[in-house]
Amino acid sequence: MRRSQLFLPTLKETPSEAKIVSHRLMLRAGLVRQSAAGIYTWLPAGYRVLRKIEQIVREEQDRAGAQEVLMPTIQSAEVWRKSGRYDDYGKEMLRIVDRHDREMLFGPTAEEVITDIVANEITSYRDLPKNLYNIQWKFRDEVRPRFGVMRGREFLMKDNYSFDLDYESARHSYNKMFVAYLRTYARMGLTAIPMAADTGPIGGDLSHEFIVLADTGESAVFCDKALLELPAPGDEVDYDSDLGSTVETWASHYAATDEKHDPDNCPISGDQLVTARGIEVGHIFYFGTKYSEPLGATVQGPDGQKITLEMGSYGIGVSRLVGAIIEASHDDAGIIWPESVAPWLVGLINLKAGDSECDAASEKIYADLRAAGIEALYDDRDERAGTKFADMDLVGIPWQLTIGPRGIKDGKVDVKRRGADEKVELAIDALDDWIAERAGS
Ligand code: 5CA
């Protein structure tokens, strides 16, 4: 993408309405703009990051055997009446009346919609288990939307729902998601710690929140230091095998959110106990027959008997993750994107746009990058060098290549890794290998 053509409205000044660093940087780096309280428009750079995160979430869901569907944002009140949640949900639910006076709502979650589908379509035990997910916008009329996309009113969530015949198999579905979540966050460069949690309006008695530690997190959390060092399950993970021991390794270490933490009965103390603040980037629940019972999601078992399905639901805050990653990875100059979610992998700075040699060299590198399939942001503007460097740092591009008149004379290009201080000179002749390396990584 050519910077001269890109819609990337960066800001020099810090917007006063933004209270935390990720919100400030998302505005300054031109990722989002607020359209109404807690409702955002994603601009090109921000939308690229959002889609990268979405894609990692999708790949790990698919790998764990979940199947993608797309449910509507607007739901009928009818199914919510059946589950009993229509009245319970309160003011957080945005209620809408259509032209025929039918009660509708903008979905804050989708247990009812998916359970209704499964109740209608799945009739035999042979069709189970099933795990269905979607990545869709949700709306919750939060009392205090704040911190930008961290606590929005409209936000993007990956939510999925597992349907099983019995408790054992439902626990296996829960464990699969537990492991898939650890992998998902690790791929985004995040350490997210599963913590025993309350279930709130979703219900049930088994639940874990996945928490990223950050000073600006909304909840106080407590955990065993050992958890910070535990590696996420690698590529060898086999979702068909018993995942109980992996889950046990994580769950056996103490980790609790504020509501669950009991200082008098906490098994760890001193240096071993991490007391911190955290951002909830995911939440998984097992709740048995709470929705399948009222919505009639039953199947016929092998002996012809009626079995009410065992369910769980699993959420990831996809749009919140953009903010959480920035909280975890930035410096005074701006965002430092992990490569896996960066809007562009390489930034190319032409220090002297308009100079025929600089232009020719830059155009060639830009073409080579694109030919290698590398996403590159090419700053071809006639701007001061300082402005260009500051912009690349602010937007957080992982690799920066700089071409200038002096470099061309010496046959050199400057290479900088965002976040690491060193800038190295590379022979222009060696750039082909460098590009091949990036393309392969
Ligand atoms: N139905 C269940 C699981 S699918 C559910 O709705 N769970 S939840 O309420 O915990 O939401 C799932 C995730 O969405 C949360 O962990 C959080 O990361 C994200 N989330 C929740 N509310 C907001 C919000 N107001 N703004 C941004 N993200 C949010």
Side-chain angles (χ1 to χ4, degrees):
M1 174 62 76
R2 286 173 196 274
R3 183 68 175 86
S4 59
Q5 285 160 29
L6 176 64
F7 179 44
L8 182 68
T10 55
L11 306 172
K12 282 212 185 63
E13 258 88 80
T14 299
S16 59
E17 76 268 26
K19 301 281 179 274
I20 61 171
V21 67
S22 59
H23 188 194
R24 283 198 288 272
L25 288 173
M26 286 186 74
L27 294 172
R28 287 194 52 215
L31 305 187
V32 291
R33 287 294 180 263
Q34 182 174 290
S35 292
I39 300 177
Y40 290 84
T41 295
W42 291 79
L43 304 184
Y47 192 40
R48 290 176 77 96
V49 175
L50 189 67
R51 281 194 315 232
K52 294 245 162 107
I53 293 175
E54 195 182 309
Q55 186 55 21
I56 291 176
V57 169
R58 178 175 287 119
E59 285 169 17
E60 293 302 327
Q61 287 296 306
D62 292 345
R63 180 199 279 262
Q67 297 173 40
E68 188 167 14
V69 298
L70 184 60
M71 288 182 263
T73 53
I74 306 294
Q75 307 176 0
S76 156
E78 206 179 312
V79 282
W80 285 75
R81 286 229 162 78
K82 283 193 193 163
S83 73
R85 281 208 293 183
Y86 189 63
D87 294 324
D88 291 354
Y89 218 93
K91 291 196 155 182
E92 268 194 22
M93 181 185 275
L94 181 65
R95 295 156 205 260
I96 303 163
V97 180
D98 74 10
R99 68 198 296 164
H100 302 293
D101 280 338
R102 279 187 291 244
E103 289 173 294
M104 313 292 288
L105 57 106
F106 197 121
T109 175
E111 279 80 4
E112 283 79 357
V113 171
I114 197 74
T115 307
D116 188 50
I117 301 246
V118 167
N120 289 328
E121 306 303 330
I122 295 188
T123 51
S124 162
Y125 72 94
R126 287 190 207 88
D127 298 325
L128 294 172
K130 283 283 172 291
N131 187 336
L132 304 171
Y133 76 98
N134 81 162
I135 302 174
Q136 177 62 292
W137 294 92
K138 304 289 187 290
F139 195 94
R140 294 183 184 172
D141 204 352
E142 304 272 352
V143 196
R144 273 210 299 157
R146 56 180 184 159
F147 302 156
V149 300
M150 289 276 212
R151 182 161 296 280
R153 293 200 296 163
E154 190 185 47
F155 59 97
L156 190 59
M157 193 201 285
K158 184 285 297 173
D159 43 321
N160 56 322
Y161 306 88
S162 62
F163 300 87
D164 285 277
L165 270 185
D166 54 31
Y167 176 74
E168 282 307 307
S169 148
R171 272 309 300 260
H172 183 55
S173 294
Y174 185 90
N175 289 350
K176 280 197 213 177
M177 286 300 115
F178 190 106
V179 168
Y181 276 34
L182 291 172
R183 289 181 47 85
T184 301
Y185 301 119
R187 282 186 59 188
M188 297 169 195
L190 289 175
T191 306
I193 301 167
M195 301 197 178
D198 277 343
T199 54
I202 307 294
D205 48 20
L206 170 66
S207 141
H208 284 90
E209 282 180 14
F210 287 75
I211 303 276
V212 171
L213 302 186
D215 293 343
T216 48
E218 288 193 284
S219 28
V221 296
F222 306 84
C223 75
D224 187 337
K225 203 172 173 180
L227 282 166
L228 304 180
E229 308 298 327
L230 269 185
D235 286 345
E236 71 290 345
V237 61
D238 172 6
Y239 285 104
D240 292 329
S241 71
D242 180 13
L243 298 165
S245 61
T246 312
V247 173
E248 189 49 32
T249 305
W250 285 83
S252 64
H253 289 88
Y254 185 79
T257 57
D258 215 3
E259 310 102 55
K260 289 265 175 183
H261 178 61
D262 174 4
D264 297 333
N265 288 307
C266 178
I268 45 172
S269 58
D271 262 7
Q272 199 58 26
L273 179 67
V274 178
T275 303
R277 300 198 68 79
I279 303 167
E280 182 200 321
V281 290
H283 199 161
I284 61 177
F285 305 81
Y286 160 75
F287 43 66
T289 59
K290 179 175 174 189
Y291 300 93
S292 46
E293 176 88 57
L295 287 152
T298 60
V299 294
Q300 208 164 43
D303 308 327
Q305 78 281 33
K306 188 165 115 179
I307 301 170
T308 305
L309 302 186
E310 290 276 327
M311 288 180 61
S313 78
Y314 316 87
I316 289 184
V318 176
S319 49
R320 175 178 288 182
L321 272 166
V322 180
I325 293 169
I326 298 173
E327 289 293 329
S329 185
H330 66 270
D331 62 15
D332 289 344
I335 302 167
I336 305 174
W337 291 116
E339 289 188 12
S340 58
V341 301
W344 294 275
L345 182 67
V346 175
L348 172 63
I349 295 177
N350 179 353
L351 279 182
K352 206 166 178 200
D355 172 271
S356 59
E357 282 188 30
C358 284
D359 288 352
S362 302
E363 291 290 339
K364 160 122 190 6
I365 298 172
Y366 183 49
D368 289 350
L369 286 165
R370 296 206 310 172
I374 293 177
E375 295 172 323
L377 177 60
Y378 169 29
D379 198 337
D380 55 342
R381 294 172 304 171
D382 182 14
E383 281 280 356
R384 288 188 313 115
T387 304
K388 295 186 178 185
F389 288 130
D391 244 35
M392 284 291 180
D393 281 354
L394 176 61
V395 181
I397 312 298
W399 293 96
Q400 297 171 17
L401 300 178
T402 307
I403 278 282
R406 198 171 330 132
I408 290 183
K409 194 144 51 66
D410 302 341
K412 297 269 169 60
V413 47
D414 277 343
V415 181
K416 180 176 125 170
R417 179 80 172 98
R418 180 76 179 96
D421 279 338
E422 95 273 22
K423 207 178 216 183
V424 295
E425 278 191 336
L426 190 71
I428 291 183
D429 296 342
L431 213 49
D432 282 350
D433 289 344
W434 187 90
I435 290 174
E437 224 174 277
R438 295 283 90 62
S441 70

